[in-house]
Amino acid sequence: MKYLASKVKGNSLWSDALRRLLSDNLAVFSFLVIAAYIVTALLASSNLIAVNWQDSIGASQAAPSFVDGFSHWMGLDIFGRSVLQKTVQGAYTALYVGLVSSLISIPIGVLMGALAGYFGGWVDDLITWIYTTISNIPEILLLVSIAFALGKGIETMCIALGMTSWVGLARLIRAEFIKHKNREYVAAAQALGASHSRRIFKHIFPNVLHIVIIGFSLRFVVAIKSEVVLTYLGLGIEIGEGSSWGLMISDAAGELVQGIWWGLASATLAMFPIVLAFSLFTDALRDAFDPKLRT
Amino acid sequence: MFAYIVRRALYAIPIMLGTTFLLFLLYNFVGGDPALVKAGKHATAETIATIRAEMGLDQPWYLQYWDLLMQVLKFDFGRSWSTNLKITDMVADGAGTSFSLTFPVFVMSTCLSLLLGIFVAVKRGSFIDKGLVTLAVGAQSISVLVYILAGQYFLAYKMGWFPISGYEPGLTERWAYFALPWLIYILIAVAPEMRFYRTIFLDELYQDYVRTAKSKGLDSNTILFKHVLRNALIPILTNLIISLPFLILGSLLLESFFGIPGLGGLIVKAIGNEDRPVIYALTVVGTIAYVIFNLISDILYAVVDPRVQLK
């Protein structure tokens, strides 16, 4: 008597999604890769690994060697610093840029999208105008303009990336709120006397939260790649603000002709798995929350 | 139809005002006093006052904004801080070069990704589909800078198959210098574009009309090229049109690495020199181009798909 009606237990969107994620080997593997990078970054930032990355430990630009200890595995840079340790520290910078820029862009995107979709009318017109305005300025030039206005460096880069990247999320959230605001459960909440803010955040928001989570994961893909390009253009990490894969790859522009390939190789090898893992995990999240969309 | 076009065109006006105002705020207020930036660190109070009067910064903000709008309408953005050339001339010179670099390769990479996109969408779920999509996701996980650095180093410097960098203005001479940037552009662009077109074709392939066409016995090629491709062309065309402004702006990284004097290279140089008026002018020009092409794309969409006007 397995199928007695009383025994049938409903699954929530979340438990269903979690079950799908856990049964997806690639998703689990991607998540483990991301977790490994987070642990590495935390250890590096709390001075437990790659502590002395700023110290010279040997001859300038010494080639990779496996006999002098693991700090020499990826060779040394022009100041005799361990490229491997710099790469490990770079993981912290990459995740920091991803995290801080998402913490700026996601609240703005959610709030703007929710208000526009929920209230409609002039609020919608105003917010749509604001984000259309921002999205009509070519992104790279807007980033340059913000960097000119606020100065250079890692903080500005995070602010600039955050301020320019909320539009996509706001559009998605707005569309969802338009769909949800006329549903019965919202009308029921209203009948019980729930205020606008309660209906927006307590009732509708949990139903669109999965979009926020997907957006959060995707932000990291974009932020880690943007850091490299912006740093090369001189708008990102400044020398002295720590080690970053962008700085290492930018240095390679001058190093390659001297036959020094290890800085570029090390940064690229470190960047590839984490960007790939975030991309695959984002896709897996999308599939898990909305199997209909599965491509 | 006409009413829709007029309505849509009028909507471009507040957008233009919004973008110019945002840039005005960024450059004239958020970024501090532009006269101080231009004068440099060791300027005397008098010099600063002169510069301020020259730049019109002693006027109230709405007059300054009005000046900016006039600049845009007259297409006159003053002179570059670093080269002292007229910015309008710099833009006009660079735009053609950039376009001749990006347009041919844009056509090539679009055709290639469209073909690949249709191919993997039709073979959905097969080994080749999974393989190519995984390869594309992997290819996108490598920084574009790495493609450029590695391509320039191995193919030009080590192998000597291409010039390392350089440019000759003659229409026939420049292609030799463009060959390697093109190859790299295609390597970078095909992966995301193929995935984009794959999604579009998959959206269409599972529509009811495809099932109807199948059940009335049409062969799969007719369905694909006569029915599916036609419907898929709407999002594809609109997407292509809004990409056009970026072709004029060129490719920042390719132009700077290969020494091609287009707008992209100009932007990179201006960033290095903190040449604000140049970046400012290019941002405004880029935005206007984007707004116009967005407008064209929306109108075209409405022409092809009458349902749009109802929204």
Side-chain angles (χ1 to χ4, degrees):
Chain A
M1 287 290 113
K2 242 167 127 186
Y3 300 106
L4 273 181
S6 61
K7 296 262 176 169
V8 175
K9 201 171 153 279
N11 287 330
S12 73
L13 170 71
W14 297 92
S15 65
D16 256 351
L18 187 65
R19 186 178 48 76
R20 281 191 213 109
L21 266 184
L22 288 174
S23 64
D24 181 349
N25 288 332
L26 203 55
V28 175
F29 185 68
S30 308
F31 182 76
L32 291 177
V33 172
I34 295 170
Y37 271 78
I38 294 174
V39 171
T40 311
L42 288 176
L43 289 175
S45 75
S46 45
N47 280 327
L48 291 167
I49 52 170
V51 188
N52 303 317
W53 69 275
Q54 304 200 61
D55 297 346
S56 173
I57 55 167
S60 169
Q61 298 181 327
S65 107
F66 291 104
V67 289
D68 303 324
F70 71 91
S71 293
H72 292 256
W73 281 7
M74 289 311 294
L76 305 181
D77 75 355
I78 190 163
F79 302 115
R81 298 180 298 188
S82 163
V83 170
L84 184 64
Q85 294 201 14
K86 276 172 73 182
T87 311
V88 169
Q89 286 290 345
Y92 172 72
T93 309
L95 292 176
Y96 177 87
V97 172
L99 185 68
V100 176
S101 66
S102 334
L103 289 181
I104 296 169
S105 103
I106 286 174
I108 303 178
V110 169
L111 196 69
M112 292 290 201
L115 293 178
Y118 182 83
F119 288 109
W122 68 267
V123 181
D124 188 21
D125 289 342
L126 179 69
I127 292 174
T128 311
W129 175 70
I130 294 175
Y131 70 56
T132 315
T133 295
I134 293 180
S135 67
N136 270 286
I137 303 176
E139 194 186 2
I140 184 76
L141 289 167
L142 184 55
L143 288 170
V144 177
S145 301
I146 296 177
F148 275 0
L150 301 179
K152 293 171 184 172
I154 185 167
E155 309 299 334
T156 317
M157 178 175 61
C158 292
I159 295 173
L161 283 172
M163 298 297 286
T164 52
S165 63
W166 56 270
V167 174
L169 183 65
R171 281 204 179 109
L172 290 175
I173 298 276
R174 173 178 172 271
E176 286 297 308
F177 264 77
I178 291 175
K179 224 164 65 188
H180 276 273
K181 71 173 173 188
N182 293 323
R183 296 233 169 124
E184 278 174 355
Y185 73 91
V186 183
Q190 187 182 7
L192 287 169
S195 65
H196 285 307
S197 69
R198 196 171 165 81
R199 270 177 270 160
I200 291 175
F201 293 109
K202 188 89 191 177
H203 294 274
I204 305 182
F205 182 63
N207 288 312
V208 304
L209 183 59
H210 61 281
I211 295 176
V212 179
I213 296 173
I214 296 168
F216 189 64
S217 178
L218 184 65
R219 281 302 320 144
F220 278 85
V221 178
V222 183
I224 295 172
K225 282 158 79 175
S226 303
E227 182 265 316
V228 175
V229 172
L230 291 177
T231 300
Y232 170 76
L233 291 174
L235 302 165
I237 317 286
E238 303 269 272
I239 296 164
E241 284 188 318
S243 173
S244 96
W245 298 335
L247 280 175
M248 293 172 74
I249 294 176
S250 306
D251 286 345
E255 291 172 353
L256 274 184
V257 282
Q258 307 167 49
I260 295 154
W261 49 268
W262 41 92
L264 179 68
S266 190
T268 307
L269 285 175
M271 206 177 129
F272 179 74
I274 184 69
V275 177
L276 186 61
F278 270 120
S279 309
L280 294 174
F281 192 63
T282 310
D283 286 347
L285 279 174
R286 238 180 235 140
D287 291 343
F289 281 112
D290 198 350
K292 268 184 300 183
L293 286 178
R294 194 164 197 146
T295 51
Chain B
M1 187 70 231
F2 182 70
Y4 173 81
I5 295 176
V6 171
R7 208 155 20 102
R8 182 60 190 79
L10 285 178
Y11 189 61
I13 296 172
I15 298 297
M16 270 323 299
L17 288 176
T19 47
T20 44
F21 193 68
L22 179 66
L23 294 171
F24 172 71
L25 281 181
L26 271 178
Y27 279 88
N28 287 32
F29 292 96
V30 183
D33 190 337
L36 289 180
V37 180
K38 187 179 184 185
K41 277 179 191 143
H42 308 292
T44 60
E46 272 168 60
T47 335
I48 293 170
T50 326
I51 291 176
R52 187 168 288 147
E54 256 173 36
M55 293 168 82
L57 295 169
D58 45 359
Q59 291 171 331
W61 68 269
Y62 49 86
L63 282 180
Q64 291 183 41
Y65 180 57
W66 180 251
D67 278 349
L68 162 72
L69 287 180
M70 286 299 110
Q71 280 188 330
V72 175
L73 289 178
K74 290 185 202 146
F75 217 71
D76 175 10
F77 297 94
R79 286 172 185 275
S80 152
W81 285 358
S82 59
T83 60
N84 210 29
L85 293 169
K86 277 191 79 178
I87 294 174
T88 315
D89 296 341
M90 293 166 84
V91 173
D93 285 346
T97 312
S98 280
F99 195 72
S100 72
L101 170 73
T102 48
F103 185 71
V105 73
F106 175 71
V107 175
M108 287 187 268
S109 79
T110 304
C111 292
L112 185 60
S113 354
L114 264 175
L115 285 175
L116 282 170
I118 299 181
F119 179 67
V120 289
V122 172
K123 301 261 177 208
R124 180 189 182 221
S126 70
F127 176 73
I128 189 118
D129 171 37
K130 283 180 185 156
L132 276 176
V133 170
T134 313
L135 192 69
V137 179
Q140 279 183 274
S141 306
I142 299 171
S143 171
V144 291
L145 267 174
V146 176
Y147 287 97
I148 298 175
L149 280 167
Q152 196 177 31
Y153 177 68
F154 287 112
L155 302 178
Y157 181 77
K158 275 268 164 163
M159 300 302 200
W161 292 344
F162 302 95
I164 293 172
S165 81
Y167 178 75
E168 276 174 60
L171 265 181
T172 43
E173 286 86 18
R174 64 176 73 162
W175 309 122
Y177 297 98
F178 284 179
L180 183 56
W182 280 351
L183 185 68
I184 295 172
Y185 182 104
I186 290 176
L187 278 177
I188 296 170
V190 163
E193 284 176 16
M194 180 195 86
R195 290 174 69 200
F196 174 73
Y197 293 133
R198 177 178 178 274
T199 325
I200 288 180
F201 283 113
L202 281 181
D203 276 351
E204 293 296 332
L205 280 173
Y206 291 88
Q207 297 281 341
D208 288 341
Y209 73 83
V210 178
R211 198 183 316 130
T212 311
K214 246 183 228 161
S215 48
K216 73 176 186 184
L218 286 183
D219 68 294
S220 51
N221 275 337
T222 316
I223 299 176
L224 193 62
F225 291 103
K226 243 186 136 172
H227 296 256
V228 173
L229 190 63
R230 267 190 166 177
N231 279 293
L233 268 180
I234 300 172
I236 293 172
L237 271 182
T238 48
N239 179 61
L240 290 180
I241 290 171
I242 50 174
S243 308
L244 290 176
F246 295 101
L247 300 181
I248 300 162
L249 283 180
S251 161
L252 272 70
L253 296 175
L254 284 174
E255 288 179 16
S256 98
F257 270 97
F258 289 97
I260 296 162
L263 291 188
L266 189 64
I267 294 171
V268 176
K269 262 188 217 146
I271 295 171
N273 298 328
E274 262 210 53
D275 200 338
R276 286 176 179 230
V278 171
I279 294 289
Y280 185 66
L282 282 167
T283 312
V284 173
V285 171
T287 308
I288 295 173
Y290 193 77
V291 172
I292 292 173
F293 281 93
N294 224 336
L295 175 69
I296 297 175
S297 141
D298 274 8
I299 290 175
L300 222 85
Y301 206 128
V303 172
V304 192
D305 188 349
R307 286 171 302 178
V308 172
Q309 291 171 59
L310 299 173
K311 281 181 199 159

